[in-house]
Amino acid sequence: MDQTQDLSGSRLAHAWAELQAHARDETPLDADAYRLAFADPEFLLRRETRGIRFQLEMLKPDLAQHEQGIENTIVVFGSARFPAPEQANEALKQAEESGDQAALALAKRHLRNAHYYDQARQFARLVAGHSNACPPAERLFICTGGGPGIMEAANRGAQEMGAPTVGLNIVLPHEQSSNPYVSHSLNFKFHYFALRKMHFMMRAKALLAFPGGFGTLDELFEVITLVQTRKARPVPIILFGSEYWKRLFNFEVMLEEGAISPEDLKLFQYVDDPQVAWDSIKRFYKL
């Protein structure tokens, strides 16, 4: 389906041509009170128009996903720093040849964690393989933050099965760039973390959290809190890699101190196998 809007109308043509020239030539736009408001980047980027930018960042990905039949997703989080096994092996080989002990220690750590990349990729293949045979309204699509590492692995697995796959990328000063396995028409870029989080949850039917850093923890606890407080419907919340998660958090301390209730520990589960994770989701929805 051609998603391109007709911009040839006289009311829009001039504004569109002006913005295209600005983007092509990288020339600054002079302040112009006569310019149409929606074609005035300087106006749209003012502090006072932040609310409008919120609305646009909410609306654009929502409309695009709806138009392409993306209504149910399984969100996969995890470290952007865990490489594919082939990359980890190559880095280890180079580090051994260099004799650089710091590089060698880093390469060994990457190789140790690279199996998570393979497991995320395998999980996404299971989801996509099932969904490809379903009616469009019942399909589940892999959605990630669109970056490298675990996110790349999940998008890659879905793409390998011929399924559309979503990436909700965000502008960061380092590390985050879109991976090549996100479907082009479902590759979105965000400025605001809050709006990106909302898009993760709007269509999520399950959350699979692989070992990761602050970003993964931020998303994980956001989802747990939303489900705990009943601001969001219950969904499977799966912590993949029990050894990592149990070493990182001692939830029993929170329970002993009365910070959470015993039933709160039932909001999530630990798994160590892609098939077990997928089977848990299938049981929850009786697929």
Side-chain angles (χ1 to χ4, degrees):
M1 180 187 300
D2 184 5
Q3 309 272 338
T4 305
Q5 297 295 312
D6 181 9
L7 295 171
S8 61
S10 59
R11 291 182 298 170
L12 299 178
H14 177 71
W16 179 242
E18 188 175 15
L19 288 177
Q20 282 186 309
H22 167 62
R24 181 182 64 248
D25 303 333
E26 298 184 356
T27 54
L29 288 172
D30 295 329
D32 186 351
Y34 194 66
R35 182 178 294 123
L36 290 169
F38 63 80
D40 189 341
E42 280 73 14
F43 171 70
L44 289 177
L45 294 175
R46 288 174 61 113
R47 179 181 61 82
E48 295 89 343
T49 56
R50 182 178 295 151
I52 297 171
R53 297 196 299 276
F54 284 177
Q55 292 176 330
L56 293 173
E57 200 153 276
M58 171 61 73
L59 190 59
K60 180 180 176 181
D62 187 37
L63 289 176
Q65 289 180 84
H66 178 71
E67 288 166 352
Q68 296 175 68
I70 308 297
E71 299 297 345
N72 304 297
T73 62
I74 294 181
V75 178
V76 180
F77 294 134
S79 178
R81 306 182 186 188
F82 289 178
E86 60 269 23
Q87 295 172 325
N89 280 305
E90 180 60 28
L92 179 61
K93 178 182 177 181
Q94 294 178 5
E96 289 173 339
E97 292 173 352
S98 72
D100 185 328
Q101 292 304 305
L104 183 59
L106 178 62
K108 288 181 177 179
R109 188 178 71 202
H110 281 328
L111 186 61
R112 183 177 74 244
N113 289 323
H115 72 284
Y116 288 121
Y117 183 106
D118 262 350
Q119 290 167 323
R121 183 178 174 185
Q122 183 181 346
F123 172 79
R125 290 177 63 90
L126 291 170
V127 175
H130 167 86
S131 293
N132 285 344
C134 293
E138 298 176 13
R139 290 174 185 167
L140 294 165
F141 300 94
I142 292 294
C143 175
T144 79
I150 296 299
M151 296 172 281
E152 174 187 295
N155 290 130
R156 182 178 179 179
Q159 190 214 57
E160 288 169 342
M161 298 298 290
T165 180
V166 183
L168 306 182
N169 214 276
I170 191 160
V171 178
L172 294 177
H174 62 87
E175 187 177 278
Q176 185 81 345
S177 59
S178 180
N179 72 66
Y181 302 104
V182 178
S183 298
H184 179 71
S185 61
L186 296 168
N187 192 7
F188 304 104
K189 183 188 290 186
F190 289 82
H191 176 75
Y192 298 106
F193 269 106
L195 274 299
R196 181 178 182 240
K197 286 180 181 181
M198 290 190 71
H199 273 288
F200 276 129
M201 283 302 296
M202 283 169 63
R203 289 172 165 80
K205 294 298 183 286
L207 167 71
L208 189 63
F210 280 80
F214 290 152
T216 300
L217 300 184
D218 179 39
E219 303 289 358
L220 171 62
F221 282 101
E222 178 93 8
V223 175
I224 292 176
T225 302
L226 287 171
V227 174
Q228 180 205 42
T229 58
R230 301 184 182 179
K231 289 289 187 179
R233 63 187 180 278
V235 296
I237 302 172
I238 299 171
L239 305 185
F240 196 102
S242 58
E243 195 255 342
Y244 176 89
W245 290 111
K246 290 180 179 180
R247 188 158 53 102
L248 183 62
F249 293 115
N250 186 350
F251 290 105
E252 294 297 330
V253 172
M254 301 173 72
L255 186 61
E256 291 168 5
E257 298 298 330
I260 60 174
S261 302
E263 57 266 24
D264 291 335
L265 295 180
K266 299 177 183 178
L267 294 174
F268 56 87
Q269 59 183 298
Y270 301 99
V271 302
D272 294 290
D273 180 86
Q275 185 66 57
V276 173
W278 175 229
D279 288 344
S280 176
I281 295 170
K282 287 197 296 181
R283 283 195 302 273
F284 186 91
Y285 290 108
K286 298 178 181 179
L287 300 180

